[in-house]
Amino acid sequence: MQCVVNKTVAIALLLLALMPIKAEAQFNEDLDANWGNEEKMLQRDDQIWSEEAANTVYTKAGNICLTSETRIGLSDQWEISSNLGADIFAPNFFLKKLFKISNKQEYWAFKVGLITGAPGYHIAQNHKYGKIISPDDDVPFVIDTNGELIYSYAFRHDPNCAKDNAWLILSNSIAAHVGLNANGKHVSQAGYHFLANRAETLRDWSVYIRAKVWVDWMINSWIVLRGGMKYYFGNFKNHHALETQVQGEFFLFRSLGIKLGGLLSYAHYTTVDKKFALFPSADLTYYFGKKTDRDNKLFDTKMRNKMKSLRTVK
């Protein structure tokens, strides 16, 4: 009964978050059949969890991406990641700790990171991108220090409660970014959507807050739909920005996926002429490593004791 209730709540929330999607796709009968035959599955069960969610990748497993985060599992609870494509312009490093799992449904994690935009400013200056940095400006060396608290709720597959594969992940988080100026140089706010807010803590002493709601939805055994909204509030001029992202990941093979989607930005930046901007996104992801029994190790104490008592009943 609990699984049926959970599934009803999940579908209602998903319809509210993704109204353009047809209701008949909310539960795929082919997916039911595929879960019964592991040979038909085209991906590991942890691949539904994106970097936006609280869960970490498995120990000595992970994924290599071009334009989104490359992730490597250090242990059952720790993960390191970096956006390799962005490293050319803004070297970045993130560390995530999964510190609590309750009933294999509620996941809590904390993620910290460091970013600097100095190389990107040098490149922009050399190529005369005046909306990012003036030819006469000295390049600032500012370090973005950030922390994010992430909560995810996993809706488990199987109407009979016999299997526990997650098919829908709902996540939300709150993050704080603080820019620490190491050389005293600064530049004006960037004149582009998607940069005016993010680069605020890379150009001078500054701060911004980011709130996020996110969905990872396994439609069937080879398609995962991801998307959500992010709200930015900070020292950038006019202070508010709202972004929406939608992305579909298509698995060509068990270890190879293609991501296609786009981002929409809405903000009243004083340095940008238009209020809206649309940016397409694409990525190629290679998954490596094997599944481990991570979830069972991180059950909360109450659930572990309950399972132990069930095993000892004759």
Side-chain angles (χ1 to χ4, degrees), residues 160-172:
N160 299 318
C161 301
K163 299 182 185 296
D164 61 358
N165 305 82
W167 63 277
L168 178 68
I169 312 296
L170 300 181
S171 303
N172 55 70

mmCIF file with all atom_site columns, all heavy atoms in Angstrom, residues 160-172:
data_model
loop_
_atom_site.group_PDB
_atom_site.id
_atom_site.type_symbol
_atom_site.label_atom_id
_atom_site.label_alt_id
_atom_site.label_comp_id
_atom_site.label_asym_id
_atom_site.label_entity_id
_atom_site.label_seq_id
_atom_site.pdbx_PDB_ins_code
_atom_site.Cartn_x
_atom_site.Cartn_y
_atom_site.Cartn_z
_atom_site.occupancy
_atom_site.B_iso_or_equiv
_atom_site.pdbx_formal_charge
_atom_site.auth_seq_id
_atom_site.auth_comp_id
_atom_site.auth_asym_id
_atom_site.auth_atom_id
_atom_site.pdbx_PDB_model_num
ATOM 1   N N   . ASN A 1 160 ? 4.500  -3.802 -6.294  1.00 0.00 ? 160 ASN A N   1
ATOM 2   C CA  . ASN A 1 160 ? 4.331  -4.863 -5.305  1.00 0.00 ? 160 ASN A CA  1
ATOM 3   C C   . ASN A 1 160 ? 5.365  -4.802 -4.192  1.00 0.00 ? 160 ASN A C   1
ATOM 4   O O   . ASN A 1 160 ? 5.425  -5.695 -3.352  1.00 0.00 ? 160 ASN A O   1
ATOM 5   C CB  . ASN A 1 160 ? 4.416  -6.234 -5.994  1.00 0.00 ? 160 ASN A CB  1
ATOM 6   C CG  . ASN A 1 160 ? 3.326  -6.392 -7.031  1.00 0.00 ? 160 ASN A CG  1
ATOM 7   O OD1 . ASN A 1 160 ? 2.182  -6.018 -6.789  1.00 0.00 ? 160 ASN A OD1 1
ATOM 8   N ND2 . ASN A 1 160 ? 3.679  -6.920 -8.195  1.00 0.00 ? 160 ASN A ND2 1
ATOM 9   N N   . CYS A 1 161 ? 6.209  -3.756 -4.200  1.00 0.00 ? 161 CYS A N   1
ATOM 10  C CA  . CYS A 1 161 ? 7.226  -3.583 -3.167  1.00 0.00 ? 161 CYS A CA  1
ATOM 11  C C   . CYS A 1 161 ? 8.232  -4.719 -3.141  1.00 0.00 ? 161 CYS A C   1
ATOM 12  O O   . CYS A 1 161 ? 8.849  -4.994 -2.112  1.00 0.00 ? 161 CYS A O   1
ATOM 13  C CB  . CYS A 1 161 ? 6.596  -3.429 -1.777  1.00 0.00 ? 161 CYS A CB  1
ATOM 14  S SG  . CYS A 1 161 ? 5.477  -2.021 -1.658  1.00 0.00 ? 161 CYS A SG  1
ATOM 15  N N   . ALA A 1 162 ? 8.394  -5.441 -4.235  1.00 0.00 ? 162 ALA A N   1
ATOM 16  C CA  . ALA A 1 162 ? 9.342  -6.553 -4.271  1.00 0.00 ? 162 ALA A CA  1
ATOM 17  C C   . ALA A 1 162 ? 10.728 -6.097 -4.693  1.00 0.00 ? 162 ALA A C   1
ATOM 18  O O   . ALA A 1 162 ? 11.721 -6.681 -4.297  1.00 0.00 ? 162 ALA A O   1
ATOM 19  C CB  . ALA A 1 162 ? 8.853  -7.642 -5.226  1.00 0.00 ? 162 ALA A CB  1
ATOM 20  N N   . LYS A 1 163 ? 10.806 -5.042 -5.502  1.00 0.00 ? 163 LYS A N   1
ATOM 21  C CA  . LYS A 1 163 ? 12.090 -4.512 -5.932  1.00 0.00 ? 163 LYS A CA  1
ATOM 22  C C   . LYS A 1 163 ? 12.195 -3.066 -5.451  1.00 0.00 ? 163 LYS A C   1
ATOM 23  O O   . LYS A 1 163 ? 11.196 -2.442 -5.115  1.00 0.00 ? 163 LYS A O   1
ATOM 24  C CB  . LYS A 1 163 ? 12.227 -4.589 -7.450  1.00 0.00 ? 163 LYS A CB  1
ATOM 25  C CG  . LYS A 1 163 ? 12.158 -6.003 -8.006  1.00 0.00 ? 163 LYS A CG  1
ATOM 26  C CD  . LYS A 1 163 ? 12.343 -5.984 -9.509  1.00 0.00 ? 163 LYS A CD  1
ATOM 27  C CE  . LYS A 1 163 ? 12.154 -7.380 -10.098 1.00 0.00 ? 163 LYS A CE  1
ATOM 28  N NZ  . LYS A 1 163 ? 13.135 -8.319 -9.642  1.00 0.00 ? 163 LYS A NZ  1
ATOM 29  N N   . ASP A 1 164 ? 13.418 -2.534 -5.397  1.00 0.00 ? 164 ASP A N   1
ATOM 30  C CA  . ASP A 1 164 ? 13.571 -1.204 -4.826  1.00 0.00 ? 164 ASP A CA  1
ATOM 31  C C   . ASP A 1 164 ? 14.346 -0.271 -5.750  1.00 0.00 ? 164 ASP A C   1
ATOM 32  O O   . ASP A 1 164 ? 15.010 0.644  -5.302  1.00 0.00 ? 164 ASP A O   1
ATOM 33  C CB  . ASP A 1 164 ? 14.263 -1.291 -3.458  1.00 0.00 ? 164 ASP A CB  1
ATOM 34  C CG  . ASP A 1 164 ? 15.657 -1.903 -3.558  1.00 0.00 ? 164 ASP A CG  1
ATOM 35  O OD1 . ASP A 1 164 ? 16.069 -2.292 -4.668  1.00 0.00 ? 164 ASP A OD1 1
ATOM 36  O OD2 . ASP A 1 164 ? 16.340 -1.971 -2.522  1.00 0.00 ? 164 ASP A OD2 1
ATOM 37  N N   . ASN A 1 165 ? 14.283 -0.492 -7.050  1.00 0.00 ? 165 ASN A N   1
ATOM 38  C CA  . ASN A 1 165 ? 14.983 0.379  -7.979  1.00 0.00 ? 165 ASN A CA  1
ATOM 39  C C   . ASN A 1 165 ? 14.312 1.747  -8.036  1.00 0.00 ? 165 ASN A C   1
ATOM 40  O O   . ASN A 1 165 ? 13.098 1.852  -8.209  1.00 0.00 ? 165 ASN A O   1
ATOM 41  C CB  . ASN A 1 165 ? 15.006 -0.232 -9.383  1.00 0.00 ? 165 ASN A CB  1
ATOM 42  C CG  . ASN A 1 165 ? 15.582 -1.628 -9.391  1.00 0.00 ? 165 ASN A CG  1
ATOM 43  O OD1 . ASN A 1 165 ? 14.880 -2.578 -9.099  1.00 0.00 ? 165 ASN A OD1 1
ATOM 44  N ND2 . ASN A 1 165 ? 16.867 -1.742 -9.704  1.00 0.00 ? 165 ASN A ND2 1
ATOM 45  N N   . ALA A 1 166 ? 15.110 2.804  -7.913  1.00 0.00 ? 166 ALA A N   1
ATOM 46  C CA  . ALA A 1 166 ? 14.564 4.159  -7.983  1.00 0.00 ? 166 ALA A CA  1
ATOM 47  C C   . ALA A 1 166 ? 14.217 4.498  -9.427  1.00 0.00 ? 166 ALA A C   1
ATOM 48  O O   . ALA A 1 166 ? 14.988 4.230  -10.342 1.00 0.00 ? 166 ALA A O   1
ATOM 49  C CB  . ALA A 1 166 ? 15.578 5.151  -7.440  1.00 0.00 ? 166 ALA A CB  1
ATOM 50  N N   . TRP A 1 167 ? 13.041 5.088  -9.639  1.00 0.00 ? 167 TRP A N   1
ATOM 51  C CA  . TRP A 1 167 ? 12.645 5.498  -10.986 1.00 0.00 ? 167 TRP A CA  1
ATOM 52  C C   . TRP A 1 167 ? 12.386 7.003  -11.068 1.00 0.00 ? 167 TRP A C   1
ATOM 53  O O   . TRP A 1 167 ? 12.321 7.578  -12.150 1.00 0.00 ? 167 TRP A O   1
ATOM 54  C CB  . TRP A 1 167 ? 11.399 4.734  -11.437 1.00 0.00 ? 167 TRP A CB  1
ATOM 55  C CG  . TRP A 1 167 ? 10.174 4.977  -10.616 1.00 0.00 ? 167 TRP A CG  1
ATOM 56  C CD1 . TRP A 1 167 ? 9.844  4.376  -9.436  1.00 0.00 ? 167 TRP A CD1 1
ATOM 57  C CD2 . TRP A 1 167 ? 9.108  5.881  -10.907 1.00 0.00 ? 167 TRP A CD2 1
ATOM 58  N NE1 . TRP A 1 167 ? 8.638  4.853  -8.972  1.00 0.00 ? 167 TRP A NE1 1
ATOM 59  C CE2 . TRP A 1 167 ? 8.155  5.781  -9.857  1.00 0.00 ? 167 TRP A CE2 1
ATOM 60  C CE3 . TRP A 1 167 ? 8.842  6.766  -11.958 1.00 0.00 ? 167 TRP A CE3 1
ATOM 61  C CZ2 . TRP A 1 167 ? 6.986  6.529  -9.816  1.00 0.00 ? 167 TRP A CZ2 1
ATOM 62  C CZ3 . TRP A 1 167 ? 7.667  7.513  -11.921 1.00 0.00 ? 167 TRP A CZ3 1
ATOM 63  C CH2 . TRP A 1 167 ? 6.758  7.394  -10.864 1.00 0.00 ? 167 TRP A CH2 1
ATOM 64  N N   . LEU A 1 168 ? 12.256 7.669  -9.908  1.00 0.00 ? 168 LEU A N   1
ATOM 65  C CA  . LEU A 1 168 ? 12.041 9.106  -9.872  1.00 0.00 ? 168 LEU A CA  1
ATOM 66  C C   . LEU A 1 168 ? 12.746 9.685  -8.656  1.00 0.00 ? 168 LEU A C   1
ATOM 67  O O   . LEU A 1 168 ? 12.590 9.176  -7.541  1.00 0.00 ? 168 LEU A O   1
ATOM 68  C CB  . LEU A 1 168 ? 10.544 9.419  -9.800  1.00 0.00 ? 168 LEU A CB  1
ATOM 69  C CG  . LEU A 1 168 ? 10.164 10.892 -9.703  1.00 0.00 ? 168 LEU A CG  1
ATOM 70  C CD1 . LEU A 1 168 ? 10.499 11.611 -11.005 1.00 0.00 ? 168 LEU A CD1 1
ATOM 71  C CD2 . LEU A 1 168 ? 8.673  11.044 -9.388  1.00 0.00 ? 168 LEU A CD2 1
ATOM 72  N N   . ILE A 1 169 ? 13.551 10.730 -8.880  1.00 0.00 ? 169 ILE A N   1
ATOM 73  C CA  . ILE A 1 169 ? 14.267 11.408 -7.803  1.00 0.00 ? 169 ILE A CA  1
ATOM 74  C C   . ILE A 1 169 ? 13.844 12.872 -7.800  1.00 0.00 ? 169 ILE A C   1
ATOM 75  O O   . ILE A 1 169 ? 13.982 13.567 -8.809  1.00 0.00 ? 169 ILE A O   1
ATOM 76  C CB  . ILE A 1 169 ? 15.800 11.341 -7.985  1.00 0.00 ? 169 ILE A CB  1
ATOM 77  C CG1 . ILE A 1 169 ? 16.266 9.920  -8.304  1.00 0.00 ? 169 ILE A CG1 1
ATOM 78  C CG2 . ILE A 1 169 ? 16.503 11.899 -6.760  1.00 0.00 ? 169 ILE A CG2 1
ATOM 79  C CD1 . ILE A 1 169 ? 16.034 8.931  -7.219  1.00 0.00 ? 169 ILE A CD1 1
ATOM 80  N N   . LEU A 1 170 ? 13.299 13.341 -6.674  1.00 0.00 ? 170 LEU A N   1
ATOM 81  C CA  . LEU A 1 170 ? 12.978 14.754 -6.501  1.00 0.00 ? 170 LEU A CA  1
ATOM 82  C C   . LEU A 1 170 ? 13.986 15.355 -5.532  1.00 0.00 ? 170 LEU A C   1
ATOM 83  O O   . LEU A 1 170 ? 14.180 14.830 -4.430  1.00 0.00 ? 170 LEU A O   1
ATOM 84  C CB  . LEU A 1 170 ? 11.563 14.928 -5.942  1.00 0.00 ? 170 LEU A CB  1
ATOM 85  C CG  . LEU A 1 170 ? 10.413 14.356 -6.774  1.00 0.00 ? 170 LEU A CG  1
ATOM 86  C CD1 . LEU A 1 170 ? 9.077  14.637 -6.096  1.00 0.00 ? 170 LEU A CD1 1
ATOM 87  C CD2 . LEU A 1 170 ? 10.423 14.928 -8.180  1.00 0.00 ? 170 LEU A CD2 1
ATOM 88  N N   . SER A 1 171 ? 14.633 16.446 -5.941  1.00 0.00 ? 171 SER A N   1
ATOM 89  C CA  . SER A 1 171 ? 15.698 17.047 -5.131  1.00 0.00 ? 171 SER A CA  1
ATOM 90  C C   . SER A 1 171 ? 15.464 18.536 -4.962  1.00 0.00 ? 171 SER A C   1
ATOM 91  O O   . SER A 1 171 ? 14.881 19.194 -5.827  1.00 0.00 ? 171 SER A O   1
ATOM 92  C CB  . SER A 1 171 ? 17.072 16.833 -5.790  1.00 0.00 ? 171 SER A CB  1
ATOM 93  O OG  . SER A 1 171 ? 17.347 15.472 -6.007  1.00 0.00 ? 171 SER A OG  1
ATOM 94  N N   . ASN A 1 172 ? 15.939 19.051 -3.843  1.00 0.00 ? 172 ASN A N   1
ATOM 95  C CA  . ASN A 1 172 ? 16.023 20.497 -3.675  1.00 0.00 ? 172 ASN A CA  1
ATOM 96  C C   . ASN A 1 172 ? 17.254 20.814 -2.848  1.00 0.00 ? 172 ASN A C   1
ATOM 97  O O   . ASN A 1 172 ? 17.756 19.954 -2.111  1.00 0.00 ? 172 ASN A O   1
ATOM 98  C CB  . ASN A 1 172 ? 14.746 21.079 -3.038  1.00 0.00 ? 172 ASN A CB  1
ATOM 99  C CG  . ASN A 1 172 ? 14.401 20.421 -1.726  1.00 0.00 ? 172 ASN A CG  1
ATOM 100 O OD1 . ASN A 1 172 ? 15.093 20.603 -0.734  1.00 0.00 ? 172 ASN A OD1 1
ATOM 101 N ND2 . ASN A 1 172 ? 13.322 19.636 -1.712  1.00 0.00 ? 172 ASN A ND2 1
#
